[in-house]
């Protein structure tokens, strides 16, 4: 391993330059704190947040309330949502939307100036705030990136990924970052008073995903390797309607299309969701995804029909989906779009309290890497971007209120793309992604889960000690697979073919350590614990 150069990052060090990372950085910087942001991409905007099409859920309409938003969140979460976290999400939402508008985000509005709110699956009201139809993520990230780069208290260091936490006792004092995947990649040891993980999700651990390649569970893995508490990691949300084509990652046909009336059909033209759920296409995502997966497993094709609901307005109303469909050789104005489920969002992660604090002193987590309790077993559509900004602001309040600010960073690391080389584990990574899609996907069963656990343990045993990024991926995959093996029921985003019913005794989180995950399949199942915030 190359020798690490050590740097002091000021008041706060944030790993990740997506929505969660940049919003937290801006909130801290506005409170006078010096913030260093490690970004795995050359410039802000390359994170998963940029790809978000749907929008942000918030009770902004005259017929809506935070209470209704909480109720819908609880219902979608299938018994595992922490109500206090859902309440924080719904109550804080309007103020956080106002924060984004102050940063220049132009949400879609009607002629009378009110928000043009859409509806998505499992929402009882129109409460999705959009930007440019399906461009919310890109527009928000553009505004945040511009603000962060201009802020005098924020220092963005591009081209470096968090590889390991620096832990002293039970306290996290910084991050060991690496500038590539090759064994001799340069290494930085960056220390700060507070460390925030905002590294995103796990979707790209799967062969079929809507997430970019960087979303491979690195933050989850490094936190678990350091001893942080994790929970709900078995709950992976598969977006029902990724466009079925050869692209990796798969382009997304946003749920807002179904919110506007698009329908799902079998190849013979019959409606797929009739008789399955009273809300038809707007049923919770896990239900729609499983029904599509069943039809495909039977050798069928599932088609999304937008011709009547959107029709000639497609290119203007949903430009990103329109462009993706055209790349796949489909004109969505006149043709139905073939769709399939794809790994999309992770409900579980590093356990935090309502301020974003983890079980390790000095470490906070925000965004998809975290498990705040707001999503439970199945995230309510468009609560994900909201969670990032709500808990980003709460982290800033907690950190800024707890410690005085310092002077500027004493030895802030410099930016610039670190050299990249070929990944020596590319073959194993593709094998892992394929196994995760086949065995830890929309439907799971004990035999395939056990085989995947054995494969991951074998890869881990052969991994080089200095291959931190690869080992973090393996740790994340091991945790997800072990948690799926240990939960003997079907609930939310976790469906077991051999345990098809929900079990009331398991209507609670089942926390998991990395050591427990390594022993899964070799020891007895865990005893359920009570819900915690």
């Amino acid at each position: 391993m190359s020798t690490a150069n050590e740097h002091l990052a000021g008041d706060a060090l944030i790993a990740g330059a997506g929505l969660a990372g940049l919003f937290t950085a801006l909130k801290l910087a506005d409170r006078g704190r010096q913030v260093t942001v490690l970004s795995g991409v050359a410039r802000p905007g390359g994170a998963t947040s940029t790809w978000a099409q749907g929008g942000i859920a918030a009770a902004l309409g005259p017929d809506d309330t935070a209470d209704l938003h909480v109720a819908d969140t609880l219902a979608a979460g299938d018994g595992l949502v922490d109500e206090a976290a859902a309440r924080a999400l719904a109550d804080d939402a309007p103020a956080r939307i106002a924060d984004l508008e102050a940063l220049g985000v132009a949400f879609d509005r009607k002629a009378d100036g009110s928000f043009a709110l859409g509806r998505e699956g499992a929402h009882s009201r129109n409460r999705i705030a959009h930007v440019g139809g399906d461009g919310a993520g890109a527009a928000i990230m553009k505004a945040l990136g511009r603000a962060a780069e201009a802020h005098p208290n924020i220092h963005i260091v591009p081209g470096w990924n968090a590889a390991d936490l620096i832990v002293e006792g039970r306290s996290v004092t910084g991050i060991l970052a690496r500038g590539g995947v090759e064994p001799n990649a340069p290494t930085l040891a960056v220390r700060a008073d507070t460390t925030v993980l905002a590294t995103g999700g796990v979707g790209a651990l799967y062969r079929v995903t809507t997430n970019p390649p960087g979303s491979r569970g690195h933050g989850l893995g490094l936190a678990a390797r350091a001893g942080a508490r994790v929970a709900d990691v078995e709950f992976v949300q598969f977006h029902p309607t990724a466009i079925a084509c050869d692209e990796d990652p798969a382009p997304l046909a946003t749920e807002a299309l179904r919110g506007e009336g698009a329908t799902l059909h079998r190849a013979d033209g019959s409606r797929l969701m009739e008789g399955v759920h009273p809300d038809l296409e707007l049923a919770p995502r896990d239900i729609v995804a499983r029904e599509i997966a069943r039809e495909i497993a039977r050798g069928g094709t599932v088609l999304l029909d937008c011709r009547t609901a959107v029709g000639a307005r497609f290119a203007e109303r949903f430009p990103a989906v329109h462009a993706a469909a055209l790349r796949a050789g489909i004109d969505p104005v006149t043709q139905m779009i073939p769709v399939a489920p794809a790994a999309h969002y992770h409900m579980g992660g590093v356990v935090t309290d309502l301020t974003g604090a983890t079980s390790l002193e000095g470490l906070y987590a925000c965004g998809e890497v975290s498990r705040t309790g707001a999503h439970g077993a199945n995230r309510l559509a468009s609560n994900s971007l909201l969670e990032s900004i709500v808990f980003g602001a709460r982290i800033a309040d907690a950190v800024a209120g707890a410690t005085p600010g310092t002077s500027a960073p004493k030895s802030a690391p410099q930016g610039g793309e670190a050299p990249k080389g070929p990944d020596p584990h590319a073959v194993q990574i593709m094998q892992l992604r394929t196994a995760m899609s086949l065995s830890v996907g929309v439907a799971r069963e004990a035999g395939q889960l056990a085989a995947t656990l054995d494969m991951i343990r074998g890869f881990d045993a052969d991994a080089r000690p200095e291959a931190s990024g690869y080992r973090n991926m393996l740790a994340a995959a091991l945790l997800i697979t072990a948690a799926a093996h240990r939960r003997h029921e079907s609930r939310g985003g976790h469906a077991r073919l051999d345990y098809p019913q929900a079990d009331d005794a398991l209507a609670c989180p089942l926390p998991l350590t990395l050591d427990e995950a390594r022993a899964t399949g070799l020891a007895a199942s865990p005893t359920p614990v009570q819900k915690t915030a």
Side-chain angles (χ1 to χ4, degrees):
M1 179 185 290
S2 58
T3 302
N5 296 311
E6 187 155 318
H7 299 271
L8 301 179
D11 298 300
L13 171 63
I14 299 176
L19 174 59
L22 292 185
F23 193 84
T24 306
L26 285 165
K27 282 291 187 180
L28 281 165
D30 285 344
R31 300 280 289 269
R33 300 309 190 260
Q34 297 294 327
V35 185
T36 296
V37 179
L38 298 179
S39 170
V41 294
R43 293 178 61 84
T48 309
S49 308
T50 307
W51 298 43
Q53 294 179 354
I56 301 182
L60 300 169
D63 64 340
D64 202 3
T65 66
D67 287 344
L68 290 172
H69 191 176
V70 170
D72 290 346
T73 300
L74 291 172
D78 206 3
L80 290 190
V81 174
D82 286 328
E83 188 167 355
R87 172 60 61 184
L89 205 66
D91 285 349
D92 293 3
R96 301 291 77 82
I97 293 290
D99 287 341
L100 293 179
E101 288 194 298
L103 289 167
V105 177
F107 288 96
D108 296 346
R109 292 183 178 267
K110 299 178 182 177
D112 64 3
S114 62
F115 285 97
L117 300 171
R119 185 177 298 195
E120 294 180 354
H123 285 273
S124 62
R125 296 290 189 275
N126 285 15
R127 67 165 66 96
I128 314 304
H130 296 282
V131 184
D134 60 2
I140 292 168
M141 286 303 299
K142 182 177 180 180
L144 264 63
R146 183 170 56 240
E149 289 182 318
H151 205 296
N153 291 346
I154 296 175
H155 181 60
I156 299 174
V157 186
W160 298 89
N161 290 298
D164 292 283
L165 294 175
I166 301 173
V167 183
E168 299 177 7
R170 290 289 294 174
S171 296
V172 174
T173 60
I175 286 172
L176 190 69
R178 293 183 67 84
V181 296
E182 62 274 16
N184 62 344
T187 306
L188 292 175
V190 190
R191 295 182 180 270
D193 295 333
T194 298
T195 300
V196 181
L197 288 180
T199 51
V202 305
L205 286 175
Y206 289 80
R207 177 63 183 84
V208 183
T209 180
T210 62
N211 292 181
S215 297
R216 292 182 176 172
H218 295 293
L220 172 64
L222 71 89
R225 288 175 56 223
R229 184 168 175 251
V230 305
D232 292 346
V233 290
E234 62 268 44
F235 297 109
V236 179
Q237 188 172 83
F238 294 83
H239 198 289
T241 53
I243 299 176
C245 62
D246 292 332
E247 290 190 32
D248 180 18
L252 181 65
T254 174
E255 190 163 330
L257 292 163
R258 286 175 280 136
E260 295 212 358
T263 51
L264 290 165
H265 298 263
R266 300 179 184 87
D268 63 6
S270 60
R271 289 281 292 273
L272 180 73
M273 295 303 296
E274 283 185 347
V276 176
H277 193 279
D279 291 336
L280 300 172
E281 283 78 11
L282 292 180
R285 283 182 174 178
D286 60 300
I287 294 173
V288 181
R290 282 198 290 273
E291 195 60 29
I292 294 173
R294 286 191 192 100
E295 181 64 19
I296 293 172
R298 289 193 288 261
T301 299
V302 177
L303 301 161
L304 182 66
D305 188 357
C306 310
R307 295 173 297 179
T308 300
V310 183
R313 299 180 295 121
F314 215 121
E316 177 183 357
R317 184 75 180 86
F318 300 101
V321 183
H322 186 262
L326 292 179
R327 289 198 307 272
I330 302 154
D331 180 358
V333 176
T334 61
Q335 297 174 285
M336 292 193 285
I337 305 170
V339 293
H344 184 63
Y345 189 83
H346 195 206
M347 276 74 75
V350 183
V351 174
T352 75
D353 64 15
L354 297 182
T355 70
T358 74
S359 60
L360 297 179
E361 185 178 347
L363 180 68
Y364 291 76
C366 187
E368 197 171 351
V369 72
S370 70
R371 183 270 182 193
T372 64
H375 304 310
N378 188 33
R379 173 179 64 94
L380 182 67
S382 290
N383 268 356
S384 53
L385 296 183
L386 177 62
E387 183 190 41
S388 291
I389 57 178
V390 163
F391 284 88
R394 285 171 168 258
I395 288 172
D397 288 344
V399 171
T403 58
T406 68
S407 58
K410 297 178 181 178
S411 58
Q414 297 302 305
E417 277 291 330
K420 298 291 192 297
D423 193 329
H425 304 102
V427 173
Q428 293 93 330
I429 289 171
M430 185 54 71
Q431 291 173 344
L432 174 66
R433 295 181 67 201
T434 300
M436 293 293 289
S437 281
L438 291 175
S439 304
V440 202
V442 176
R444 305 156 175 184
E445 61 86 27
Q448 289 185 323
L449 290 168
T452 301
L453 283 171
D454 287 342
M455 183 189 75
I456 297 170
R457 283 189 280 248
F459 286 167
D460 188 46
D462 293 337
R464 297 180 180 182
E466 69 272 18
S468 298
Y470 177 55
R471 294 172 67 209
N472 289 335
M473 288 177 57
L474 293 177
L478 183 69
L479 287 163
I480 294 166
T481 308
H485 188 281
R486 286 154 54 106
R487 183 172 283 276
H488 293 171
E489 66 162 354
S490 292
R491 181 185 299 274
H494 169 67
R496 285 285 295 264
L497 295 174
D498 43 357
Y499 294 95
Q501 303 302 319
D503 183 346
D504 290 343
L506 296 176
C508 54
L510 300 178
L512 184 66
T513 68
L514 199 53
D515 285 341
E516 290 170 341
R518 291 189 177 111
T520 295
L522 309 175
S525 295
T527 301
V529 298
Q530 297 302 309
K531 290 183 181 180
T532 57

